[in-house]
Amino acid sequence: MTESDPRRRRDPSSISRARRYTPRGRTVREAAEAGEDNRARENGARDREAARRERNRAAQQEHGTEDLAAQRRREAAARSRERRQRETGTVPAESRATTARRTGTVKAEPVRRSSTARAGATRRTGTVGPQRRASSRPTSRVTGPVKAVPVKPLPHLPRLGSPRRRLRMASAFVMILLVLSGTRLIQLQVTDSAAYAAEAMNQRLTTEPLPAERGAILDRNGNRLAYSIEANYIAVDPVMVKGDPSELAARLAPLLGRTASELEPIIATKETPQGEPIRFAYLQRGVELAVGDVIADLEDPGLIIGDDERRVVPGHDLAANVLGFTGGDAGEGLGGLEASYNDWLTGTDGEVSYERSQSGQPIPGAFYREEEAVPGRDIQLTIDADLQFQVQKILEQTVTDHDAQFGSAMVMDVATGEMLAMASTPTYDAANPFEVDSDEAYRDYGTQATVDPGSIHKAVVFAAALEEGCIEPDGTMHVEQTINKGGTDYRDGYEHGSAELSLAGIIAQSSNVGTIQLADCVGKEKLYEYQQAFGLGEATGVGIAGEATGILQPPDNWSGTSYGSVPIGHEGTATIIQMAALYAAIANDGVYVQPTLVDHLLDADGNVVEDGEEPESRRVISTETAQDLQYLLQAPIAAETGTGRNAELENYHLAGKTGTGGLVVDGDYAPGNVASFVGFAPAEDPQYVVAVSVYVPGGGGGGSTTGEAFKEINEFALGYFGVRPATGPAPVFDVWG
């Protein structure tokens, strides 16, 4: 090789190589000096491009159907494999040569530029291919097999992030959020829309009751004894209350008549124990309309003022123990007839539901639903208000005069069993039923107080003795002053010694010994049957809640003293209404009729729906026996030695029997006596039974304590109902036989 052979030149420097491979390797001065060679480069580039195209055409002709695009793909794949091999390790030289031969392109060795360059050589122009690493190219031309040249791997550099990858990840994340949001919107708008709409409605919806008017209680003449008038109820929606509940409770307390400590928990409690919101709770019912207006002026959105009713009892304490009273949130009956006939008197409440704004006002045009209330029905009693007033007045005077603790009095129609008057004392104001000193004021002593009846029970023994033939109405019998039964002496209150007494005398003097002797004749089994037939030992069913039954000793429970105690009205208890029904059976010619208080049941318009329950009736004794007793029972009042002389009435003949019993408290007899007087008038044609009973702790006989009251009640009742006076004198009885 000559000196001018480019292959013999020494290896140029790295700077010179860079300048030879890329125009950017030249300096500004060299670029300016080489301006004249640019055309030559361009011409050379065109020549090379033409040669490349010629080779491509030849290759196409050589390979036939192989097109240029396939060749280019193979060349690209070869270059890609070579690049990967260089990056990962040693690249054999023959691999490069083989690749070059396969692709048909051989890159020329770079020629060192110098002043002695080969004549005719031209500088390359145009695009320069990728620069190869210096270490991967042989530095001199050699002959023979080419050995693999070790290539130093590039230092490991961190991979740069891919913008496209980041964009794809961000897009995927946004799409996931959109899908989740869309799913939630579909759930809210479609799946759960009804539930959320209902919850929103419940937050605005308020449901208030429309209380039904309670039926009225009328007397036999249509006078209203108890009825309802328009009023307000005051309720609270704790969720809507503004401000401090304690302050609101303090302002409401004097208006509602309740303490602030009672109202505050109701106002402050917003949820039930189950977590449900409380939207309505009563604070007070039956509030006067004027008070409702004052509360409305407070302008608290949590307060609800609605239409209600208030129970009015114009007579206040008139028949209060019979009528009873109402109370509670629902205004239900709590005593007397109000409780017994609560279902009939109570109507069906309606309700109104509407949407309220935050200020508590109804939203115009919003949801509104109303169910009308159905008013209650009326009941008409057998009681006469005027007679009731007089009987109650006389009873109270008797209790006061004799320092009695309690008492009862009543008037009963003999034929129908209708109760025309029923009075009890102590009593209360049914218009303000909770203002009492003791719950005993609510008690109806005529139906709920049981006492030893005493001598008024002897009428059962007289009826049984006459019916069983133990004695004739005009018969006599020997009566000692005392008699012993079970080791106990029983004696007569009237001193007569050993005497012969007529049956009228035994009744007039209320002889204990004579009555016990008649009971011995009847026998305990028969006597027990007559007691049951006359209604003792069971409630009369008059219609008052809590009526007592009394105690009736069956024959198997009799002890030795029972033969002396039971006939004269001891060792057993009864109510005064039971004794009134017993004497009514005698006055009704021997037919027992169940006492009743309700005459008619009326609808809300006042029309009769049905009569009261048909009273039970049964024959107890024969008409003859009953009429004999009707005559003989005048003896206690008409006979000179009768126990009821102070009950004698000038223009009417009365029949009846006095009694002195005992009151059992906690298993022992209380001090004093229960004085009673039960009878009927007029004796010739009985119309009404009158019964009076009082408990006198200081003691007192039946005639002396209740005789005057018995006479006054009969006198007013007979005159009030227009009964004609007697036309003849009272009968004269022969007491001694």
Side-chain angles (χ1 to χ4, degrees):
M1 294 184 184
T2 63
E3 195 68 39
S4 61
D5 189 350
R7 292 174 295 181
R8 302 287 295 175
R9 297 177 186 171
R10 58 187 179 85
D11 185 46
S13 65
S14 61
I15 295 178
S16 298
R17 271 198 318 275
R19 287 175 178 173
R20 189 162 57 240
Y21 275 95
T22 175
R24 294 187 180 183
R26 297 193 298 272
T27 64
V28 176
R29 181 179 297 173
E30 291 174 341
E33 292 175 353
E36 298 178 356
D37 297 333
N38 286 338
R39 287 188 297 274
R41 293 194 187 93
E42 294 174 357
N43 294 333
R46 283 195 295 270
D47 295 340
R48 286 191 296 275
E49 180 65 22
R52 185 181 63 78
R53 291 177 180 175
E54 184 65 26
R55 287 194 301 272
N56 290 340
R57 283 194 295 271
Q60 290 178 357
Q61 294 175 359
E62 179 180 357
H63 295 288
T65 61
E66 185 176 10
D67 58 0
L68 182 60
Q71 181 180 357
R72 288 179 178 175
R73 284 195 295 271
R74 287 193 298 272
E75 292 176 358
R79 288 194 297 271
S80 176
R81 286 193 298 272
E82 183 179 2
R83 183 171 62 253
R84 285 195 299 270
Q85 290 172 356
R86 286 200 306 271
E87 291 176 355
T88 57
T90 304
V91 181
E94 59 269 26
S95 176
R96 290 198 299 272
T98 304
T99 303
R101 286 193 302 271
R102 185 170 60 249
T103 59
T105 59
V106 179
K107 293 182 184 275
E109 282 291 330
V111 180
R112 179 181 179 185
R113 290 186 301 170
S114 65
S115 57
T116 60
R118 185 176 51 182
T122 60
R123 183 173 298 175
R124 292 185 301 168
T125 62
T127 305
V128 181
Q131 182 176 353
R132 296 181 180 177
R133 300 179 185 273
S135 59
S136 65
R137 189 172 53 247
T139 58
S140 61
R141 184 79 174 201
V142 295
T143 59
V146 180
K147 296 181 180 180
V149 179
V151 179
K152 183 178 180 181
L154 294 175
H156 181 72
L157 298 176
R159 297 180 62 182
L160 298 178
S162 174
R164 291 185 178 179
R165 184 180 180 186
R166 289 196 298 270
L167 182 60
R168 287 194 298 269
M169 293 180 65
S171 299
F173 181 71
V174 171
M175 289 300 296
I176 292 173
L177 290 180
L178 290 176
V179 171
L180 292 176
S181 300
T183 303
R184 182 57 177 164
L185 287 175
I186 293 174
Q187 182 183 8
L188 294 176
Q189 295 295 329
V190 179
T191 307
D192 297 340
S193 59
Y196 284 104
E199 182 177 356
M201 172 69 77
N202 289 336
Q203 293 177 354
R204 300 188 305 271
L205 191 66
T206 295
T207 300
E208 300 177 6
L210 295 176
E213 182 181 359
R214 188 175 179 85
I217 300 177
L218 313 175
D219 80 338
R220 68 185 300 111
N221 301 313
N223 299 313
R224 293 189 296 181
L225 301 177
Y227 60 96
S228 296
I229 62 172
E230 185 179 0
N232 286 140
Y233 68 77
I234 309 300
V236 64
D237 181 349
V239 177
M240 300 286 290
V241 170
K242 303 297 182 184
D244 187 5
S246 60
E247 295 180 0
L248 181 60
R251 299 176 68 180
L252 293 174
L255 298 173
L256 300 181
R258 302 182 66 178
T259 63
S261 60
E262 292 177 313
L263 298 175
E264 183 179 354
I266 303 175
I267 298 173
T269 305
K270 297 184 178 182
E271 292 183 350
T272 64
Q274 293 75 27
E276 298 179 358
I278 298 175
R279 304 306 304 271
F280 186 91
Y282 280 117
L283 295 178
Q284 187 64 286
R285 294 198 61 179
V287 176
E288 294 182 1
L289 297 177
V291 176
D293 294 338
V294 173
I295 295 176
D297 293 338
L298 298 178
E299 297 183 349
D300 191 305
L303 293 178
I304 302 173
I305 298 94
D307 294 332
D308 198 10
E309 62 174 14
R310 182 164 60 89
R311 202 65 168 165
V312 175
V313 184
H316 294 277
D317 63 349
L318 183 68
N321 303 77
V322 173
L323 298 178
F325 58 95
T326 61
D329 288 343
E332 67 272 14
L334 301 179
L337 293 174
E338 293 276 19
S340 300
Y341 287 85
N342 183 68
D343 293 341
W344 183 266
L345 294 168
T346 302
T348 302
D349 291 344
E351 66 177 18
V352 56
S353 300
Y354 61 91
E355 294 184 61
R356 290 204 304 167
S357 63
Q358 289 295 325
S359 62
Q361 300 299 319
I363 301 175
F367 175 81
Y368 181 88
R369 179 179 59 83
E370 178 178 344
E371 293 183 7
E372 294 185 358
V374 179
R377 295 159 293 185
D378 302 340
I379 59 175
Q380 187 167 14
L381 305 183
T382 59
I383 286 178
D384 186 287
D386 294 333
L387 178 62
Q388 175 74 26
F389 177 80
Q390 290 297 327
V391 171
Q392 193 163 323
K393 178 181 177 181
I394 294 170
L395 175 65
E396 290 175 351
Q397 187 63 46
T398 301
V399 169
T400 301
D401 292 344
H402 297 276
D403 295 325
Q405 184 171 321
F406 65 81
S408 62
M410 58 190 62
V411 179
M412 179 180 177
D413 188 290
V414 168
T416 64
E418 295 176 352
M419 304 304 299
L420 304 177
M422 293 182 67
S424 289
T425 186
T427 186
Y428 63 98
D429 184 356
N432 298 287
F434 302 105
E435 296 180 2
V436 295
D437 296 331
S438 172
D439 290 345
E440 287 294 315
Y442 300 135
R443 193 176 187 183
D444 177 52
Y445 287 94
T447 60
Q448 297 172 341
T450 57
V451 298
D452 281 357
S455 293
I456 57 177
H457 176 268
K458 293 176 181 178
V460 179
V461 179
F462 301 149
L466 287 171
E467 191 75 8
E468 296 299 321
C470 293
I471 192 173
E472 295 296 327
D474 57 353
T476 62
M477 60 185 300
H478 184 77
V479 178
E480 297 289 339
Q481 189 68 44
T482 63
I483 190 172
N484 186 280
K485 293 292 181 180
T488 301
D489 288 336
Y490 295 88
R491 62 180 299 113
D492 287 343
Y494 181 81
E495 293 293 336
H496 57 74
S498 178
E500 196 77 15
L501 294 177
S502 66
L503 181 57
I506 295 174
I507 295 175
Q509 296 180 6
S510 190
S511 171
N512 292 330
V513 176
T515 303
I516 293 171
Q517 292 177 187
L518 290 174
D520 288 341
C521 175
V522 173
K524 63 179 181 179
E525 287 81 8
K526 276 292 182 180
L527 181 59
Y528 181 70
E529 291 177 6
Y530 279 99
Q531 287 175 318
Q532 288 182 311
F534 276 110
L536 300 182
E538 61 179 2
T540 64
V542 69
I544 297 180
E547 183 183 1
T549 60
I551 299 174
L552 185 62
Q553 294 292 348
D556 293 342
N557 290 348
W558 281 31
S559 63
T561 59
S562 299
Y563 291 90
S565 297
V566 171
I568 62 175
H570 297 285
E571 290 192 20
T573 61
T575 61
I576 193 64
I577 193 172
Q578 287 174 324
M579 302 310 299
L582 186 155
Y583 277 77
I586 296 173
N588 194 36
D589 293 339
V591 178
Y592 176 91
V593 179
Q594 178 189 10
T596 182
L597 262 173
V598 177
D599 190 12
H600 301 295
L601 299 178
L602 311 174
D603 61 17
D605 298 326
N607 301 316
V608 176
V609 177
E610 60 180 273
D611 292 335
E613 294 183 4
E614 189 68 24
E616 177 190 350
S617 63
R618 58 181 178 269
R619 177 163 292 279
V620 181
I621 54 177
S622 65
T623 302
E624 183 181 359
T625 300
Q627 291 177 350
D628 289 339
L629 269 178
Q630 293 170 14
Y631 174 79
L632 292 171
L633 285 172
Q634 296 180 67
I637 300 171
E640 291 294 332
T641 58
T643 56
R645 285 290 297 163
N646 60 342
E648 186 176 17
L649 195 59
E650 183 178 356
N651 297 320
Y652 295 94
H653 301 156
L654 306 182
K657 184 73 184 70
T658 61
T660 304
L663 175 66
V664 177
V665 178
D666 297 331
D668 295 321
Y669 279 103
N673 302 113
V674 176
S676 305
F677 205 133
V678 184
F680 45 85
E684 300 85 358
D685 183 17
Q687 301 292 316
Y688 308 104
V689 169
V690 174
V692 183
S693 177
V694 296
Y695 167 59
V696 184
S704 60
T705 304
T706 58
E708 189 69 25
F710 179 80
K711 179 181 72 174
E712 292 179 2
I713 293 174
N714 272 289
E715 183 177 20
F716 180 85
L718 294 172
Y720 179 76
F721 289 116
V723 178
R724 296 178 61 180
T727 57
V732 177
F733 293 96
D734 185 7
V735 174
W736 312 103

